[in-house]
Amino acid sequence: MTEQSSVARAFIDRPTPITAANVRQQPSGMPFGRYVPFGTVELPDRSWPNKVITQAPRWLSTDLRDGNQALIDPMSPARKRKMFDLLVGMGYKEIEVGFPSSGATDFDFVRSLITDGAIPEDVTISVLTQAREDLIERTVESLVGAPRATVHLYNATSPLFRRVVFRGSKADIRAIAVDGTRLVMEYAEKLLGEETVFGYQYSPEIFIDTELDFALEVCESVMDVWQPGEGREIILNLPTTVERCTPNVYADKIEWMSRNLSRREFVALSTHPHNDRGTGVASAELAVMAGADRVEGCLFGQGERTGNLDLVNVGMNLFSQGVDPMIDFSDIDEIRRTYEYCNQMNVPERHPYAGDLVYTSFSGSHQDAIKKGFDALETDAAAAGVPVGEYTWGVPYLPIDPKDVGRSYEAVIRVNSQSGKGGIAYVLKNDHKLDLPRRMQIEFSKIIQAKTDAEGGEVTPAAIWEVFQDEYLPTERNPWGRISLREQQSLTTEDGRDALAVAALVDGVATTLSGSGNGPVSAFADALAAIGVDVRVLDYAEHALSEGGDAQAAAYVECAVDGQVLWGVGIDGNTVRASLKAIISAVNRSGRR
């Protein structure tokens, strides 16, 4: 048995390995027995698990109704109008604009949109109403003159609401829906002119807790009144009014309803998830896979309790899979700013796609992978002969290109005590076009690490650049070091070697340094030996920083200087001068240590 296998065997034979048997959670003591598990749907041939979303659903924004009613301080008319204009500009074609029978504020806002001509011809506004005649009449009145409008009627249908809230039978609840539908039709016929393209939406509220056969019965009864057919759609909206089940169960319910509804081709099956379990986005996506045609929600998940479905999240999820969301999220920061102004609510830093930190990595290993990903992307795009912005995206830890939603790359990598060489190198390359060799990345990252360890917190890109300049590039503001280059002249000798004469300041004294070698770098090392500086070049790299007649070059030189191994950097319009400056940088740094 080899030594390695003996060690391995000794480790494997240790008496107390970690297993499920000795890692046990302890009872919480919480009264979990008060809660009843949510039931499942008998649907053995469900098809939605094998579906893939290949096109965007119809969207309805309810920011101005469901979102607004959940605010501590509801939107003013000016903020409502700002939100409406944002939604139209983003491309939403169905927008629920209020609950006009709830009071003068909502009624007047709906009227202002119509009388101001603010509603584009291809946008349908929607208004919500309960199933009482006076409320329905007031609701339809608010729509007079609208180019396209939908009345959305709802009533709760679940057993708990039937028993506790309405104290009515199934027949009573079904009658509310049927009578309400008839009244909507009567008042639309009476009050709305030919200029209004009119539609109807019905929601069996608390659908998620309603028996499926009863939800189907109510929806069928409503359709019997509305009579959907060719050119006469009905929207049936099936909400998770309070999210209480896993998304797969909701998907089963949607597929069951989609299969069993009559006149299905004339039904826009709509889903309205809430987020009480934190899975509203998953519920919506699985519902679309299960047959839903339409999705309702709010920007950034605004809404009652934990919020409505987040339209930004779902839309951007589609985008990240190569599906056009049919909504424009290309300036996500402006969308966020408008949302925050209108709702007086903040978008969290970790919000998917829009939060301040969602494209940011602090971890060193993440940063290194991101930097290498960007480098590979540039290389692959160049090889394919296409601009980077058109090449198939693929960068570790970044599901989308931040630039596609209007973000710059400035915040992709931010440096703190958890960061490593890759992140720091990325900042220098992205902000200053400096592509540091790997060993130099390691050297400089240790300098930044010492700074973060000493001071704590984050090191900004500006601070990284300041430290880099102080360490490698003397400036007029901060001159340092024994030697500074003034000018140089090189000649080729008869034996093919380079002779170099360098005018320099050495310890403040004008000096001419002369040497020879098999190139200017070797010749300069020979010249430095004449003043007692032992320098040996170990590695060398250079690249252009820009293009054109005034292009700058960066040179990086790894040197052994009097026994110390360290890097120097030189930047100049002339590549030879850049390399000499890099050697001087290394020599000067050796004297600071």
Side-chain angles (χ1 to χ4, degrees):
M1 183 179 292
T2 66
E3 180 182 353
Q4 182 180 16
S5 62
S6 298
V7 172
R9 175 54 55 194
F11 183 83
I12 291 170
D13 290 340
R14 293 175 73 174
T16 55
I18 296 174
T19 66
N22 59 31
V23 178
R24 296 179 181 176
Q25 294 293 129
Q26 298 300 312
S28 68
M30 297 178 67
F32 61 89
R34 298 184 63 208
Y35 301 93
V36 179
F38 202 92
T40 59
V41 179
E42 185 64 30
L43 197 67
D45 58 342
R46 58 181 61 82
S47 64
W48 62 261
N50 296 319
K51 298 291 179 63
V52 175
I53 302 175
T54 57
Q55 64 182 32
R58 283 168 56 177
W59 305 106
L60 175 127
S61 159
T62 185
D63 287 87
L64 291 164
R65 196 277 300 172
D66 208 350
N68 185 55
Q69 75 183 31
L71 295 173
I72 297 172
D73 179 19
M75 296 182 214
S76 65
R79 300 204 319 257
K80 280 187 179 180
R81 180 60 180 273
K82 184 84 170 175
M83 175 63 77
F84 180 79
D85 291 343
L86 171 68
L87 296 168
V88 169
M90 292 174 68
Y92 288 101
K93 302 302 181 185
E94 296 179 77
I95 303 172
E96 195 166 48
V97 294
F99 200 149
S101 64
S102 65
T105 301
D106 266 24
F107 185 92
D108 292 345
F109 175 69
V110 176
R111 293 305 307 153
S112 72
L113 292 176
I114 297 168
T115 57
D116 291 351
I119 308 168
E121 288 293 327
D122 63 345
V123 170
T124 300
I125 61 169
S126 176
V127 288
L128 185 72
T129 183
Q130 294 169 313
R132 281 172 32 197
E133 182 170 2
D134 58 326
L135 303 181
I136 291 171
E137 180 180 14
R138 183 68 168 162
T139 299
V140 178
E141 281 178 356
S142 74
L143 299 175
V144 172
R148 301 174 62 88
T150 294
V151 167
H152 176 190
L153 181 137
Y154 74 98
N155 67 305
T157 56
S158 72
L160 183 63
F161 272 68
R162 296 198 306 260
R163 178 175 63 84
V164 174
V165 180
F166 297 110
R167 298 180 182 178
S169 66
K170 287 183 176 179
D172 296 331
I173 301 303
R174 181 169 58 83
I176 292 172
V178 169
D179 294 343
T181 303
R182 187 174 294 112
L183 287 167
V184 168
M185 295 171 64
E186 290 176 2
Y187 280 104
E189 180 68 22
K190 176 181 176 181
L191 298 174
L192 301 183
E194 293 293 329
E195 74 276 9
T196 300
V197 178
F198 182 71
Y200 182 60
Q201 173 174 338
Y202 172 70
S203 291
E205 194 192 14
I206 324 293
F207 163 78
I208 196 65
D209 287 299
T210 302
E211 307 93 323
L212 280 173
D213 57 352
F214 182 56
L216 179 65
E217 178 186 339
V218 174
C219 289
E220 291 286 349
S221 298
V222 165
M223 285 197 290
D224 288 342
V225 177
W226 178 255
Q227 287 295 302
E230 193 66 41
R232 185 177 173 81
E233 172 191 86
I234 188 170
I235 300 169
L236 295 177
N237 187 52
L238 307 177
T240 55
T241 311
V242 178
E243 187 182 42
R244 297 207 318 106
C245 66
T246 52
N248 62 298
V249 175
Y250 183 52
D252 282 347
K253 286 175 175 278
I254 294 294
E255 181 164 342
W256 190 94
M257 289 290 288
S258 183
R259 289 185 188 184
N260 287 280
L261 281 167
S262 68
R263 297 160 280 195
R264 178 66 180 89
E265 66 271 31
F266 308 122
V267 174
L269 196 60
S270 181
T271 177
H272 182 111
H274 277 253
N275 200 43
D276 298 271
R277 288 171 52 90
T279 56
V281 168
S283 291
E285 291 176 331
L286 268 57
V288 170
M289 292 161 60
D293 307 299
R294 184 172 178 270
V295 170
E296 298 189 355
C298 293
L299 300 181
F300 304 111
Q302 170 58 20
E304 300 275 15
R305 303 179 310 280
T306 57
N308 285 277
L309 169 72
D310 184 345
L311 292 177
V312 177
N313 201 340
V314 179
M316 286 302 303
N317 282 357
L318 291 178
F319 178 80
S320 74
Q321 299 297 300
V323 177
D324 187 352
M326 310 300 282
I327 300 295
D328 185 359
F329 298 105
S330 60
D331 192 351
I332 207 160
D333 285 336
E334 180 60 26
I335 295 168
R336 185 184 68 176
R337 283 190 292 268
T338 303
Y339 163 88
E340 291 181 335
Y341 162 74
C342 293
N343 289 287
Q344 303 293 290
M345 301 276 284
N346 293 325
V347 174
E349 289 87 345
R350 297 294 183 188
H351 183 282
Y353 303 107
D356 281 336
L357 297 176
V358 296
Y359 304 108
T360 302
S361 286
F362 292 98
S363 161
S365 61
H366 290 200
Q367 293 173 346
D368 186 59
I370 289 171
K371 179 185 181 298
K372 290 174 179 174
F374 274 116
D375 291 344
L377 191 69
E378 291 177 3
T379 301
D380 294 346
V386 299
V388 172
E390 298 176 11
Y391 194 74
T392 301
W393 180 252
V395 172
Y397 297 110
L398 290 174
I400 66 164
D401 186 344
K403 285 192 173 179
D404 288 336
V405 289
R407 289 281 181 88
S408 71
Y409 291 146
E410 292 177 2
V412 168
I413 287 177
R414 290 165 61 175
V415 175
N416 64 10
S417 61
Q418 302 301 308
S419 305
K421 68 182 191 318
I424 296 163
Y426 172 87
V427 169
L428 290 172
K429 184 176 181 181
N430 186 63
D431 292 2
H432 303 284
K433 311 304 179 188
L434 294 173
D435 192 5
L436 274 58
R438 183 176 180 277
R439 287 197 300 277
M440 186 179 176
Q441 293 176 26
I442 296 171
E443 179 189 85
F444 185 55
S445 70
K446 291 178 180 177
I447 296 169
I448 294 296
Q449 190 73 42
K451 180 179 176 65
T452 59
D453 288 343
E455 300 177 5
E458 180 182 352
V459 184
T460 66
I464 291 173
W465 178 236
E466 185 176 338
V467 172
F468 185 86
Q469 288 179 293
D470 180 68
E471 187 68 30
Y472 297 99
L473 301 172
T475 64
E476 291 183 6
R477 182 179 62 83
N478 183 28
W480 53 264
R482 289 187 61 200
I483 305 171
S484 61
L485 177 68
R486 302 178 72 181
E487 60 182 46
Q488 102 286 338
Q489 183 180 17
S490 59
L491 298 171
T492 303
T493 63
E494 290 183 1
D495 60 0
R497 291 170 63 80
D498 284 337
L500 183 72
V502 175
L505 286 176
V506 179
D507 297 324
V509 178
T511 306
T512 298
L513 303 174
S514 301
S516 63
N518 59 5
V521 170
S522 173
F524 191 48
D526 182 54
L528 289 171
I531 60 170
V533 177
D534 177 19
V535 59
R536 181 163 51 94
V537 175
L538 305 177
D539 196 6
Y540 175 84
E542 67 176 35
H543 63 81
L545 292 176
S546 56
E547 298 178 356
D550 59 348
Q552 293 279 91
Y556 312 94
V557 179
E558 185 181 31
C559 297
V561 183
D562 295 327
Q564 297 183 71
V565 175
L566 65 172
W567 284 84
V569 180
I571 297 175
D572 197 275
N574 179 284
T575 55
V576 172
R577 285 178 60 85
S579 62
L580 301 186
K581 285 182 176 181
I583 295 173
I584 290 173
S585 170
V587 170
N588 285 343
R589 289 184 66 224
S590 70
R592 301 177 83 189
R593 292 174 176 270

